[in-house]
Amino acid sequence: MKKSIITIAAAVCMAAVLTACGGSQTKTKTETTAAATEKAGTEAASGETSAEGSEAATEAAGGKLVMVTNAEFPPYEFRENNDIVGIDADIARAIAEKLGMELEIQDMAFDSLIPAIQSGKADFAAAGMTVNEDRKKNVDFTDTYAEAAQVIIVKEDSDIASPDDLTGKKIGVQTGTTGDIYADDIENGDIQRFNKGMEAVMSLTQGKIDAVIIDREPAKVFVKENEGLKILDEAFTEEEYAIAIKKGNTELVDKFNTAIKELKESGEFQKIVDKYITAE
Ligand code: GLN
């Protein structure tokens, strides 16, 4: 199986953005806001696209960054006791600290993340989010920070041995993810959508579906936690993760890229990855 290699693309901007930021301690507040999610969706539907005048953008200038994520995606984001932890959460904390800003993390459904950014409810999404052309129409992305893949989980005794064998099968995906989007191309595929990746995996263990298409690192965690499952060697797609920011907010994208670059150069980035992913 291909090793998971975490890389960061070179950040390009060395703007003097950091001078504008104080050195205050990063505080993290974690909230689950179903109502906020709903509101974000509604406002996004109204088509607001300007980067100015949004609540979150104003708050960011005043020292607070609002991050949205879907904390059902170990090892990138998950709940430990009441805290949201994981690679994305730790990287976001490190970025906020570098920028001298307070960080607030809100947990919501994966398909509510982009609407939350568009409506200005959130400054950014760090959610193991795959960069793709469609999403680029709605948000801007930072430099990529991780290589990823959609993989196929099946039962150990499954007759599905490669992506080609998915024709006509019942396939579980998480709503709105790239697994969901690309599964649409499977000939005669019966796509079953779940709110959480783990729910798709449970359905597979119960024999209700034939396979699950999901990101590689969470797949490894889910397979480890559930007996009788395996990940196929051949990935379904190869992709890359980046942080999503409101379209047009190049100032914040530049700040993030600079911070990511510094975290990589100092070795702090790799330390965060190593905390959550042990080398195979
Ligand atoms: N990488 C996938 C996507 O961007 C899934 C991310 C997730 O479920 N958090 O669609």
Side-chain angles (χ1 to χ4, degrees):
M1 195 189 301
K2 195 170 169 256
K3 271 198 177 179
S4 16
I5 311 159
I6 305 295
T7 56
I8 306 179
V12 278
C13 183
M14 286 300 290
V17 286
L18 293 176
T19 52
C21 305
S24 70
Q25 271 276 336
T26 305
K27 263 189 274 154
T28 306
K29 208 163 66 182
T30 303
E31 282 173 16
T32 309
T33 48
T37 310
E38 225 169 78
K39 194 153 177 245
T42 321
E43 289 184 10
S46 77
E48 190 207 342
T49 50
S50 159
E52 283 120 88
S54 79
E55 225 175 86
T58 316
E59 285 201 68
K64 186 163 104 176
L65 281 170
V66 178
M67 160 176 156
V68 283
T69 195
N70 174 238
E72 302 288 344
F73 198 71
Y76 282 91
E77 40 270 333
F78 55 102
R79 283 180 182 274
E80 208 169 64
N81 304 317
N82 239 350
D83 292 331
I84 295 176
V85 297
I87 296 170
D88 286 331
D90 282 13
I91 287 170
R93 283 180 185 115
I95 292 173
E97 194 158 345
K98 272 198 177 296
L99 301 183
M101 297 171 95
E102 191 188 330
L103 179 71
E104 177 182 325
I105 303 180
Q106 296 182 7
D107 188 13
M108 54 181 65
F110 185 79
D111 57 355
S112 297
L113 299 176
I114 288 181
I117 295 169
Q118 288 180 297
S119 71
K121 288 290 155 201
D123 295 300
F124 70 99
M129 190 179 283
T130 303
V131 178
N132 80 10
E133 291 309 312
D134 262 355
R135 288 175 180 168
K136 276 189 194 166
K137 290 178 196 153
N138 299 314
V139 288
D140 285 340
F141 282 104
T142 61
D143 294 328
T144 56
Y145 63 87
E147 287 185 359
Q150 295 298 309
V151 297
I152 300 160
I153 309 177
V154 292
K155 283 198 167 179
E156 258 162 12
D157 59 358
S158 173
D159 58 353
I160 300 170
S162 83
D164 293 340
D165 301 331
L166 290 174
T167 306
K169 298 288 188 191
K170 275 196 185 136
I171 299 145
V173 296
Q174 189 189 355
T175 312
T177 62
T178 42
D180 181 1
I181 296 161
Y182 304 138
D184 253 358
D185 296 339
I186 297 167
E187 208 183 317
N188 293 322
D190 176 358
I191 310 304
Q192 314 256 330
R193 295 181 174 83
F194 297 84
N195 283 328
K196 304 174 183 182
M198 187 61 183
E199 288 171 3
V201 173
M202 292 322 295
S203 183
L204 176 63
T205 57
Q206 290 160 11
K208 293 180 186 161
I209 54 175
D210 304 305
V212 172
I213 298 179
I214 195 162
D215 298 58
R216 177 177 282 138
E217 293 304 328
K220 285 194 213 160
V221 175
F222 297 147
V223 165
K224 213 167 153 191
E225 286 173 355
N226 292 277
E227 261 174 49
L229 301 179
K230 65 177 181 186
I231 298 171
L232 296 188
D233 286 346
E234 194 180 334
F236 191 62
T237 58
E238 302 285 345
E239 31 193 62
E240 284 183 309
Y241 294 158
I243 292 171
I245 290 176
K246 188 165 194 168
K247 203 146 189 57
N249 193 352
T250 46
E251 193 191 330
L252 197 60
V253 172
D254 289 347
K255 281 185 185 181
F256 269 54
N257 283 342
T258 304
I260 291 169
K261 188 174 179 237
E262 286 174 3
L263 288 171
K264 198 200 167 195
E265 282 168 0
S266 69
E268 201 176 332
F269 185 94
Q270 194 55 46
K271 237 164 99 181
I272 291 171
V273 173
D274 292 346
K275 183 171 151 195
Y276 293 101
I277 301 179
T278 27
E280 284 153 63

